[in-house]
Amino acid sequence: MLFIIVTSVPFWYFTRDTLPSSARIATGKSGGVFFDIGGKLAKHYERGTEHVLEVLETEGSEDNRQFVLDGKADVAVLQGDFINTRHLSVIAPLYLEMIHVIVRSDTLITNMAGLTGKRMILGPKGSGMRNSGLAVLRHYQLEDEIKEVPDRYFTDLLKDKTIDGAIVTTGILNRDLVKLARSESIRILPLHVDAIARKHPFYYSAFVPPGLYSERPSVPAEAIETVGATAYLATRRDASESFVRALLTALHEEGLSMEFPNLIPYHRALDMTPVPMHPAARQYFNPPDQLGVFTNVLESLAAMKELILALTALGWLIWDRWKRLQAEERERILAAQKDFLDSFLEKTLDIESAQMRTTDPIELQQHLDKVTQIKLDALRELTHEDLRSDRAFIIFLTQCANLINKIQYKILDAHQQAWRERESTKKTAKKKVKRKTARKRGV
């Protein structure tokens, strides 16, 4: 027994799974969402492990995949259709991207057919953005009908009027996209979402809600159907399990969702991943998978199997109870916030009813201030990630936007009516003066 212990300890020490002293993550262009989330993940990873995770700036998904395959990077941010499951494994889905087909607002283009012969920016070669853009063009049989503008960034639409549009695939937190949308110089075209999504396993139907990029004026003015894609964190299939677990801890347990609110939550990760995950990632998101490991340990330690089984069962029950309590607490908080959302909805309905009974611009301005304050209070207080993605919350934001627009129109109309009345009064007064003057002359 002593001999077994003496020989086992060195074997365990030299073969144990440890974290690399330094690692590299391939991201994307500086300023893009790939680069942004990669940098945030690296910061949380280094804080939790005290190991370095170097952020590599790249051209996009194709570069990132090759960097990992060639050993130039240990982990990468990839768009789904760049994941080669023969050599790569998914660690976790990161966030949802949306495809925006953008054209200049001073053009006459109102649908996809209008892109024929137009100069379009699709993104850098090898990027997920360009890959998605080409997929959309192929669906509309426009791949050979447009004139691609190479080596240009989509914000160049604001600078170069010879460029007609761009197809942009990115997260809604992309600062450059928000800036472009708020410029009022562009128009977003709708897509045949179901037809495209059904042809591609990594795409899904989505819509850009009204007022997403700006409230005054509302940009977009109404909901626009589009197609989305998912960005993933991926690594080689033989990557260290300790490294994968450390990345997942940094991703889901170190507060990264507070800095990146569109991060796909832990409980949706398995459903959002249509390809095989790294074994350590699957165990992380689906702890029951670890029972197979426990069984192997029990078979190799037959003499202690009853004790180990009892301790394992006890630990499992404690862990399961803890997870259930967490889930119940999340459900309680979500239910409370949904009730709070209902109260905000009732307040907006009261204002909706009140504004219908008045045309006084002062009262209307008071109603406008109230509904704006209600919306700000809701955004500040209703922070639960599941509620933010709930249809009721989106309906509430849409209702607020519509009510704000309606009241603003009424205020404008009231001011115009008052101006017309003043002008009419002035004209009547002038006529009276003329008649009075005429009578005096006649006398």
Side-chain angles (χ1 to χ4, degrees), residues 92-218:
L94 294 176
Y95 64 93
L96 301 179
E97 299 179 299
M98 288 194 288
I99 299 176
H100 293 66
V101 181
I102 298 171
V103 296
R104 298 180 62 85
S105 57
D106 56 4
T107 67
L108 299 178
I109 305 171
T110 58
N111 54 45
M112 292 297 294
L115 297 182
T116 301
K118 302 303 182 183
R119 302 182 74 240
M120 300 290 292
I121 297 173
L122 300 182
K125 288 186 177 180
S127 67
M129 183 181 298
R130 185 173 186 272
N131 198 56
S132 299
L134 290 174
V136 170
L137 291 174
R138 279 194 293 270
H139 174 77
Y140 285 94
Q141 299 177 2
L142 291 171
E143 185 177 9
D144 298 323
E145 302 297 325
I146 63 107
K147 300 174 183 176
E148 183 177 357
V149 183
D151 303 322
R152 300 294 290 272
Y153 193 51
F154 64 86
T155 53
D156 288 349
L157 281 172
L158 296 176
K159 309 170 187 174
D160 189 348
K161 292 188 177 181
T162 67
I163 302 173
D164 301 297
I167 302 181
V168 181
T169 304
T170 186
I172 60 175
L173 295 180
N174 187 305
R175 295 185 294 272
D176 291 334
L177 177 61
V178 174
K179 178 183 176 181
L180 185 63
R182 288 179 175 176
S183 70
E184 299 183 22
S185 299
I186 60 99
R187 180 186 303 119
I188 303 174
L189 303 183
L191 297 173
H192 296 153
V193 292
D194 289 334
I196 298 176
R198 289 177 186 273
K199 294 180 180 179
H200 300 275
F202 291 99
Y203 293 171
Y204 62 94
S205 300
F207 72 96
V208 183
L212 176 64
Y213 299 119
S214 174
E215 278 294 343
R216 296 186 180 180
S218 182

Side-chain angles (χ1 to χ4, degrees), residues 60-112:
S61 289
E62 187 173 358
D63 257 3
N64 294 351
R65 177 179 63 187
Q66 201 58 46
F67 271 39
V68 173
L69 293 177
D70 293 344
K72 296 178 181 177
D74 304 282
V75 63
V77 183
L78 298 175
Q79 200 175 93
D81 42 2
F82 281 86
I83 296 174
N84 182 340
T85 55
R86 183 180 177 184
H87 301 291
L88 299 179
S89 289
V90 170
I91 296 177
L94 294 176
Y95 64 93
L96 301 179
E97 299 179 299
M98 288 194 288
I99 299 176
H100 293 66
V101 181
I102 298 171
V103 296
R104 298 180 62 85
S105 57
D106 56 4
T107 67
L108 299 178
I109 305 171
T110 58
N111 54 45
M112 292 297 294

Side-chain angles (χ1 to χ4, degrees), residues 147-422:
K147 300 174 183 176
E148 183 177 357
V149 183
D151 303 322
R152 300 294 290 272
Y153 193 51
F154 64 86
T155 53
D156 288 349
L157 281 172
L158 296 176
K159 309 170 187 174
D160 189 348
K161 292 188 177 181
T162 67
I163 302 173
D164 301 297
I167 302 181
V168 181
T169 304
T170 186
I172 60 175
L173 295 180
N174 187 305
R175 295 185 294 272
D176 291 334
L177 177 61
V178 174
K179 178 183 176 181
L180 185 63
R182 288 179 175 176
S183 70
E184 299 183 22
S185 299
I186 60 99
R187 180 186 303 119
I188 303 174
L189 303 183
L191 297 173
H192 296 153
V193 292
D194 289 334
I196 298 176
R198 289 177 186 273
K199 294 180 180 179
H200 300 275
F202 291 99
Y203 293 171
Y204 62 94
S205 300
F207 72 96
V208 183
L212 176 64
Y213 299 119
S214 174
E215 278 294 343
R216 296 186 180 180
S218 182
V219 179
E222 56 186 16
I224 299 174
E225 289 187 306
T226 188
V227 177
T230 306
Y232 293 90
L233 192 66
T235 187
R236 289 184 296 276
R237 298 187 70 173
D238 60 353
S240 158
E241 292 190 2
S242 296
F243 178 57
V244 172
R245 284 193 294 270
L247 286 169
L248 288 169
T249 299
L251 192 65
H252 287 290
E253 299 177 28
E254 299 289 346
L256 192 146
S257 61
M258 300 297 292
E259 298 178 42
F260 196 87
N262 282 346
L263 183 70
I264 293 173
Y266 167 94
H267 65 274
R268 294 181 59 196
L270 288 175
D271 294 336
M272 295 293 293
T273 308
V275 294
M277 280 184 158
H278 189 282
R282 177 162 286 280
Q283 289 177 4
Y284 180 86
F285 292 113
N286 187 30
D289 277 0
Q290 298 178 46
L291 290 177
V293 177
F294 295 159
T295 302
N296 292 334
V297 174
L298 291 175
E299 290 176 354
S300 64
L301 301 172
M304 301 179 64
K305 64 181 180 181
E306 292 182 3
L307 176 60
I308 294 176
L309 181 60
L311 293 175
T312 301
L314 178 61
W316 171 259
L317 289 173
I318 293 173
W319 178 88
D320 185 60
R321 179 57 180 165
W322 177 69
K323 292 294 288 185
R324 287 176 181 272
L325 289 174
Q326 276 196 326
E328 290 172 3
E329 178 64 14
R330 286 196 298 268
E331 289 295 326
R332 186 189 66 77
I333 294 173
L334 179 60
Q337 293 217 342
K338 283 186 175 181
D339 291 340
F340 211 2
L341 177 60
D342 289 341
S343 69
F344 282 124
L345 282 168
E346 290 178 4
K347 290 178 182 179
T348 58
L349 290 174
D350 290 341
I351 295 174
E352 177 83 33
S353 176
Q355 65 87 24
M356 293 175 63
R357 297 192 296 269
T358 182
T359 57
D360 183 355
I362 296 177
E363 291 185 20
L364 289 171
Q365 184 61 50
Q366 292 173 349
H367 293 322
L368 179 60
D369 293 341
K370 287 179 181 178
V371 72
T372 302
Q373 188 61 50
I374 289 171
K375 179 180 175 182
L376 293 175
D377 291 343
L379 290 172
R380 182 168 52 251
E381 297 178 21
L382 303 179
T383 58
H384 198 287
E385 58 188 15
D386 288 342
L387 183 64
R388 285 293 184 98
S389 61
D390 191 88
R391 186 175 181 83
F393 188 77
I394 295 174
I395 290 174
F396 165 74
L397 293 180
T398 303
Q399 180 181 347
C400 288
N402 292 339
L403 183 54
I404 287 171
N405 289 338
K406 186 184 296 182
I407 295 174
Q408 286 175 335
Y409 287 137
K410 289 187 70 174
I411 292 173
L412 179 61
D413 186 62
H415 285 308
Q416 290 176 341
Q417 180 64 30
W419 180 82
R420 287 192 292 268
E421 290 176 357
R422 287 195 299 270

